Amino acid sequence: MRISDEGYIPIELYHEAKDFVQRIDEDVEIYKKIKSFSNTKPCLEADKFCAYWILQSYENFPHALITLYENKNEIDDRFGPSDALTVIDCMQFRFKSYYELLKANNMIED
């Protein structure tokens, strides 16, 4: 996301950022539902990221959303659809990667 020298944020970037946050919101909700209805292998880091997201703890770290957004394609590219055994595996990988990224940048607390 680029902001102009005048501090103006183009509306397209605003919509893109809003869509990104909404996608994670939806993914976290789906993840919670799948975990509640099925016996999935535990992934502590993925669960911690979901708790972080649900509690909106990213508000305590102003650059957390930007960090996630800027790295989302790299994270998704590391784990392609052919590697996923199930949807939950893919979601756990993504959330675990988000957690590790935030942890490495001191943007998440245990």
Side-chain angles (χ1 to χ4, degrees), residues 25-38:
D25 283 343
E26 291 168 355
D27 286 350
V28 167
E29 284 302 312
I30 291 168
Y31 179 77
K32 282 179 22 185
K33 287 179 183 175
I34 290 173
K35 283 196 55 123
S36 69
F37 292 118
S38 67

Side-chain angles (χ1 to χ4, degrees), residues 29-96:
E29 284 302 312
I30 291 168
Y31 179 77
K32 282 179 22 185
K33 287 179 183 175
I34 290 173
K35 283 196 55 123
S36 69
F37 292 118
S38 67
N39 187 16
T40 60
K41 65 181 179 191
C43 181
L44 185 60
E45 293 90 350
D47 293 344
K48 284 183 178 183
F49 175 79
C50 288
Y52 171 90
W53 192 263
I54 290 165
L55 295 172
Q56 297 180 342
S57 296
Y58 51 81
E59 291 179 356
N60 299 327
F61 304 95
H63 293 92
L65 291 176
I66 293 169
T67 300
L68 291 173
Y69 180 79
E70 288 176 343
N71 289 279
K72 73 179 176 77
N73 289 335
E74 180 184 327
I75 289 169
D76 288 345
D77 288 346
R78 287 194 327 229
F79 193 74
S82 61
D83 296 331
L85 298 175
T86 64
V87 172
I88 196 76
D89 290 335
C90 187
M91 293 177 110
Q92 283 181 332
F93 175 82
R94 181 181 296 125
F95 293 154
K96 179 180 178 182

